[in-house]
Amino acid sequence: RSGKSDSHGDPFRRYIAKNIQEWEEDADDYPPSMLSAPFVDYNKLNTYKYVWQDEHLMTSDPSLLTNGMYPHLKPLGELMKEWPQDDIDHPPLPIVEYLMRFDFQNPEHVKAATRFRDAQLPFKVYNVPELELAREKWTDDYCAEQFDHTVQELRATPAKGTCQRSKSNYFAFFAPRHWNVDTMGPPPTIDTDLSFALWSKHARYADKVGLPPDAVHYYWQTGVPPKERHQPLNAQSFISKDLPSFSSPTNTFFVFNVAQQKGIQCRFGERGVVAATHYDAGRNMVAMITGAKRYILSPPKACSKLGVVLEENHPSFRHSMLNFAHLSLLNDDGKIDPEVKDKLLEGMSPEAQEWLNKAKDAPSLSTVLKAGEVLYIPSHWFHYIISLQKSAQCNVRSGRETEGHPIFGSLKDVTQCTDK
């Protein structure tokens, strides 16, 4: 484990696994047991307040599907003022949850959740047996064995993943094939050759020391191709085997249009990692296996306020480059040192400042997705994701729905993306 970092001339990849990193030396000062707990474990907090607790309203009031009263939305700037993006260790008390939360073991709840799903409205379900099993099973050692071993060593089909690196906690999406280094400069993130075992060590370290937002962050990403669900069980990766409702060749509650299932995507995040706001065409079921993430959702009609890239050949198509942490710079509450604020604003283009002023008015909601919960995100709803602690999350999509919701919008709204 020595020698210099070598990028082999590739601006999108860096080979660093053989080099001792500074953080590794710090991490080695702690015994493994001390590296396992975050400052705040969002799965153990008992300060959540669920607005929707009336069983009759949750399951029997059809007006909630169309009248625009659900879900309750607030201006994005207000949400970020109540709980700033990077203030991970000081959540608001209580954490108010405005999404419906249905018990997957209650047949009446499942029927109601199906109605909300068909009405293109977001919600959450909990008490999903296979997620509880996966939560216990997906230890760092288990996942490292699945990712870092060969077929011969594992005697099964290994999973494949990539570890991305960013200079800060902000990960802006881009398609490398459309990114021109000569005209656009260095890409916002790079792929690395870190193994899962080394990534998970850094994620534990990030939890232990409270990794600050301006430090280097790592993000492990993997996926399962759609064809894998048709393979014999012994030819499937652990992701498909451990999440049978997501990988089923026939329809389930979570994959309800299996013909348009595009595979399973999994993201292993460490404390602070932020994924830029974007929309997906497919109807999205997002399962939190371990840890917790904060999701900021905005409906399709908010498109014109979010700085979304609309050019299909642009490397960041469907995504925004806005870092919502910067919304705090617009608040004149005196909490930010004036010199620090001026310095940050100096490094921001006038266009970015203008977009932030628009974004603060975008109708949005904030929800914490905890281990064992599944979040339904309808087609074309924007989502901005903040990893609150070391986490594992997988999602599966069930084809595009173009009609959307009469009040919150549809494909048309993200295609035109205007205030009209």
Side-chain angles (χ1 to χ4, degrees):
R1 292 176 59 82
S2 62
K4 295 183 178 180
S5 173
D6 180 12
S7 66
H8 292 218
D10 185 347
F12 301 105
R13 186 170 180 81
R14 186 165 298 170
Y15 297 85
I16 60 176
K18 290 185 178 181
N19 301 326
I20 291 289
Q21 309 292 307
E22 282 187 28
W23 64 266
E24 286 186 79
E25 296 176 345
D26 291 340
D28 287 339
D29 291 337
Y30 297 99
S33 60
M34 288 185 64
L35 281 175
S36 60
F39 284 10
V40 177
D41 188 339
Y42 283 83
N43 290 297
K44 295 181 179 179
L45 285 182
N46 58 2
T47 57
Y48 295 94
K49 178 183 177 182
Y50 297 96
V51 171
W52 295 100
Q53 293 185 321
D54 186 311
E55 191 90 7
H56 177 76
L57 284 176
M58 287 176 63
T59 60
S60 307
D61 187 351
S63 67
L64 289 174
L65 302 177
T66 57
N67 64 12
M69 299 299 291
Y70 175 89
H72 176 69
L73 304 176
K74 290 184 177 181
L76 177 60
E78 187 177 326
L79 287 178
M80 287 303 180
K81 189 173 183 178
E82 292 173 356
W83 187 8
Q85 168 184 299
D86 296 329
D87 197 2
I88 290 175
D89 301 325
H90 303 93
L93 300 175
I95 298 175
V96 181
E97 290 283 345
Y98 289 100
L99 287 184
M100 296 282 187
R101 188 169 180 262
F102 297 107
D103 183 349
F104 193 63
Q105 296 306 299
N106 183 325
E108 293 305 312
H109 279 220
V110 174
K111 289 178 184 178
T114 302
R115 289 194 292 271
F116 277 80
R117 187 190 71 188
D118 294 345
Q120 303 308 309
L121 292 170
F123 60 86
K124 295 196 287 189
V125 297
Y126 68 100
N127 202 8
V128 183
E130 69 191 66
L131 292 190
E132 298 301 327
L133 291 173
R135 180 182 184 181
E136 296 297 321
K137 196 173 185 180
W138 285 27
T139 64
D140 289 342
D141 288 343
Y142 173 74
C143 291
E145 183 179 42
Q146 303 298 321
F147 282 115
D148 298 343
H149 287 69
T150 64
V151 174
Q152 291 76 18
E153 294 169 328
L154 196 59
R155 295 185 179 181
T157 301
K160 298 179 180 179
T162 300
C163 182
Q164 287 192 331
R165 177 184 187 271
S166 174
K167 293 180 179 179
S168 70
N169 68 337
Y170 186 71
F171 283 71
F173 172 85
F174 71 100
R177 68 183 182 278
H178 292 310
W179 190 277
N180 188 320
V181 176
D182 294 333
T183 59
M184 305 179 79
T189 64
I190 57 171
D191 291 343
T192 74
D193 60 342
L194 263 62
S195 65
F196 183 89
L198 195 51
W199 170 84
S200 63
K201 183 178 181 180
H202 187 271
R204 294 192 299 272
Y205 168 77
D207 274 347
K208 177 62 185 176
V209 302
L211 196 68
D214 58 352
V216 169
H217 283 66
Y218 295 93
Y219 198 18
W220 184 271
Q221 305 189 33
T222 184
V224 173
K227 64 182 180 181
E228 186 169 292
R229 67 179 183 268
H230 299 296
Q231 300 292 333
L233 201 60
N234 63 1
Q236 295 181 8
S237 68
F238 80 104
I239 296 170
S240 292
K241 286 186 284 191
D242 293 348
L243 301 176
S245 294
F246 275 36
S247 60
S248 172
T250 57
N251 282 349
T252 68
F253 174 81
F254 300 110
V255 183
F256 46 95
N257 186 346
V258 73
Q260 294 189 51
Q261 193 254 49
K262 301 293 185 182
I264 304 172
Q265 303 299 320
C266 297
R267 302 289 182 260
F268 293 75
E270 66 181 16
R271 169 196 168 94
V273 164
V274 172
T277 200
H278 63 285
Y279 73 84
D280 295 311
R283 294 166 290 185
N284 210 348
M285 289 285 185
V286 184
M288 191 61 58
I289 316 298
T290 64
K293 292 183 177 182
R294 181 186 179 194
Y295 280 72
I296 308 294
L297 303 185
S298 304
K301 284 197 173 180
C303 183
S304 64
K305 299 182 183 299
L306 294 172
V308 179
V309 177
L310 301 176
E311 297 81 11
E312 291 193 17
N313 290 326
H314 191 282
S316 298
F317 173 59
R318 295 186 296 105
H319 291 68
S320 171
M321 302 295 278
L322 292 180
N323 186 339
F324 292 169
H326 295 156
L327 285 168
S328 62
L329 301 177
L330 306 179
N331 298 326
D332 255 339
D333 52 14
K335 292 183 179 180
I336 302 178
D337 182 280
E339 290 187 11
V340 173
K341 182 176 180 178
D342 290 342
K343 186 176 180 181
L344 289 170
L345 288 172
E346 280 179 17
M348 197 181 302
S349 69
E351 183 183 19
Q353 293 185 45
E354 182 181 347
W355 271 114
L356 282 173
N357 271 300
K358 290 183 179 181
K360 67 181 176 60
D361 295 323
S364 307
L365 68 86
S366 172
T367 187
V368 174
L369 188 64
K370 299 177 292 182
E373 294 182 327
V374 181
L375 170 65
Y376 175 60
I377 305 176
S379 289
H380 310 114
W381 275 66
F382 295 93
H383 40 293
Y384 185 90
I385 310 162
I386 305 156
S387 293
L388 298 172
Q389 60 194 88
K390 177 174 163 291
S391 59
Q393 157 256 307
C394 295
N395 67 283
V396 66
R397 301 183 189 124
S398 293
R400 167 179 280 182
E401 205 287 331
T402 59
E403 296 302 315
H405 189 276
I407 292 176
F408 296 119
S410 64
L411 169 63
K412 179 181 178 181
D413 293 281
V414 298
T415 303
Q416 298 180 351
C417 204
T418 66
D419 290 321
K420 296 179 181 180

